[in-house]
């Protein structure tokens, strides 16, 4: 996060994981050509190494002013290689369940504890591990028009004031999908009611390459327990030109009601005759919850599917 704030799990890396999963599932019929007919369940597991873990386009800072750098628990979630893993279980009826996790190179425990203990200045240990548990139901409305309803729970190993629930509702139409994910409780990385919007387009290309473009935006609740204009731990309002973010009032931009978060352009493909998939994402940075411009970033990933 940042010594002042953070935002949640999980599309920067999840977009890459989703593209990888889609590619692996697309290859599954060919790999199982001589096997017995598949049952109603499809199970996909993966282990990934990402060059960085960028969360929902925040490449520079979660805060309201100049970036502090990741050594102070600022964006990205990991500014070095991150180990990620997960499993997805899909039923032919439309139900799906999954688990996804990633290492982070700072401590949500220290970040959360700094809300009430302002003497904390070390945010690197114990480093956190993000764990996402989710389920969804996908159904058909008419023709190519479908819908998805689900929920995600976020649990941080070595975390404090960071665990959360988030709903998901979406529409699909052919290669397009529109999703809204809404946070249900205040945490150090977001306010209850924050909604993350994504519009994604997926297209198969020659040589087994898959293109995915994702436009991400946010609508924010401007006031919460850990993010806003008032220090709710002390009851004090921030001064002019300041905003409260987790552990204090900081000079810079005030809370925004929403805006463009990122445009991510990704390519992925399996290595021939291999369970390993490569993916590459160009993240064009938008703005964080304090309307601070984010930088552009290139992220690569290798995934082992089994």
């Amino acid at each position: 996060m940042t010594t002042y704030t953070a935002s949640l799990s999980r599309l920067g890396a999840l977009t890459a994981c989703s593209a990888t999963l889609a590619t692996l599932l697309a290859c599954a019929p060919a790999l199982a050509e001589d096997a017995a007919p598949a049952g109603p369940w499809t199970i996909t597991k993966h282990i990934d190494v990402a060059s960085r873990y960028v969360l929902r386009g925040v490449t520079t800072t979660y805060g309201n002013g100049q970036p502090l750098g990741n050594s102070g628990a600022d964006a990205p979630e990991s500014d070095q290689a991150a180990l990620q893993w997960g499993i997805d279980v899909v039923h032919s009826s439309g139900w799906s369940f999954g688990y996804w996790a990633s290492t982070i190179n700072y401590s949500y425990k220290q970040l959360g504890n700094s809300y009430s203990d302002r003497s904390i200045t070390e945010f690197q240990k114990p480093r956190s591990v993000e764990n996402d548990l989710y389920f969804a139901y996908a159904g058909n409305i008419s023709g190519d028009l479908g819908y998805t309803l689900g929920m995600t729970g976020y649990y941080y190993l070595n975390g404090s004031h960071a665990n959360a629930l988030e709903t998901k509702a979406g529409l699909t139409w052919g290669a397009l999908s529109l999703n809204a994910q809404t946070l249900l409780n205040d945490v150090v990385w977001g306010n209850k009611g924050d909604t993350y919007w994504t519009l994604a387009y997926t297209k198969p290309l020659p040589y087994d390459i898959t293109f995915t473009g994702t436009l991400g935006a946010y609508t924010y609740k401007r006031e919460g327990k850990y993010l806003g204009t008032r220090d709710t731990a002390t009851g004090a309002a921030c001064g002019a030109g300041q905003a409260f973010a987790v552990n204090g009032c900081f000079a810079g931009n005030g809370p925004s009601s929403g805006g463009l978060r990122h445009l991510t352009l990704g390519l992925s493909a399996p290595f021939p005759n291999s369970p390993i998939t490569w993916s590459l994402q160009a993240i064009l940075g938008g703005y964080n919850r304090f309307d601070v411009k984010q930088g552009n970033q290139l992220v690569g990933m290798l995934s082992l599917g089994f």
Side-chain angles (χ1 to χ4, degrees):
M1 291 306 164
T2 132
T3 45
Y4 11 47
T5 178
S7 216
L8 198 291
S9 152
R10 309 311 177 188
L11 200 80
L14 281 182
T15 302
C17 292
S18 298
T20 300
L21 175 60
T23 304
L24 291 171
L25 289 176
C27 295
L31 295 174
E33 189 172 320
D34 298 324
W41 294 97
T42 300
I43 300 176
T44 305
K45 296 165 283 186
H46 60 91
I47 298 175
D48 322 307
V49 178
S51 61
R52 291 190 174 201
Y53 176 12
V54 176
L55 169 61
R56 295 178 177 179
V58 180
T59 59
T60 305
T61 179
Y62 290 111
N64 66 330
Q66 293 298 314
L68 297 182
N70 191 263
S71 60
D74 208 342
E77 295 291 90
S78 180
D79 61 358
Q80 54 193 260
L83 180 64
Q84 302 173 342
W85 59 94
I87 180 171
D88 287 274
V89 180
V90 180
H91 193 266
S92 58
S93 64
W95 285 99
S96 61
F97 308 86
Y99 165 71
W100 181 89
S102 178
T103 57
I104 299 170
N105 72 310
Y106 61 89
S107 175
Y108 269 95
K109 183 175 183 178
Q110 289 292 85
L111 184 68
N113 288 343
S114 71
Y115 171 70
S116 55
D117 182 357
R118 303 299 165 81
S119 68
I120 294 175
T121 58
E122 168 57 58
F123 296 93
Q124 293 306 105
K125 298 178 181 179
R127 293 186 178 181
S128 300
V129 176
E130 177 186 339
N131 298 271
D132 303 351
L133 293 164
Y134 47 90
F135 70 90
Y137 178 79
N140 181 262
I141 298 174
S142 177
D144 291 335
L145 183 62
Y147 68 92
T148 301
L149 296 173
M151 179 172 286
T152 301
Y154 301 97
Y155 169 74
Y156 289 86
L157 181 66
N158 295 324
S160 177
H161 303 306
N163 299 337
L165 289 175
E166 187 179 63
T167 61
K168 178 178 181 178
L171 292 173
T172 58
W173 184 58
L176 289 171
S177 63
L178 174 66
N179 291 294
Q181 295 166 250
T182 300
L183 194 58
L184 298 183
N185 57 296
D186 286 328
V187 283
V188 293
W189 44 260
N191 293 335
K192 179 181 178 180
D194 285 354
T195 300
Y196 175 53
W197 301 85
T198 56
L199 178 63
Y201 172 75
T202 303
K203 181 178 178 59
L205 300 176
Y207 304 106
D208 288 328
I209 297 174
T210 298
F211 167 79
T212 303
T214 304
L215 184 67
Y218 253 98
T219 50
Y220 300 108
K221 292 296 181 180
R222 298 179 64 183
E223 299 292 338
K225 183 174 182 179
Y226 307 97
L227 302 163
T229 60
R230 177 177 294 276
D231 184 338
T232 56
T234 65
C238 294
Q242 294 185 332
F244 181 74
V246 179
N247 58 6
C249 291
F250 296 87
N253 293 2
S256 168
S257 59
L260 174 68
R261 190 69 170 258
H262 65 93
L263 172 62
T264 300
L265 306 176
L267 295 173
S268 66
F271 286 102
N273 303 313
S274 169
I276 299 175
T277 296
W278 64 264
S279 61
L280 193 64
Q281 289 186 320
I283 302 172
L284 306 179
Y287 296 84
N288 70 5
R289 69 180 307 120
F290 294 102
D291 206 32
V292 175
K293 182 71 172 69
Q294 304 298 290
N296 301 331
Q297 182 71 60
L298 192 64
V299 177
M301 178 181 287
L302 290 176
S303 300
L304 172 65
F306 57 97

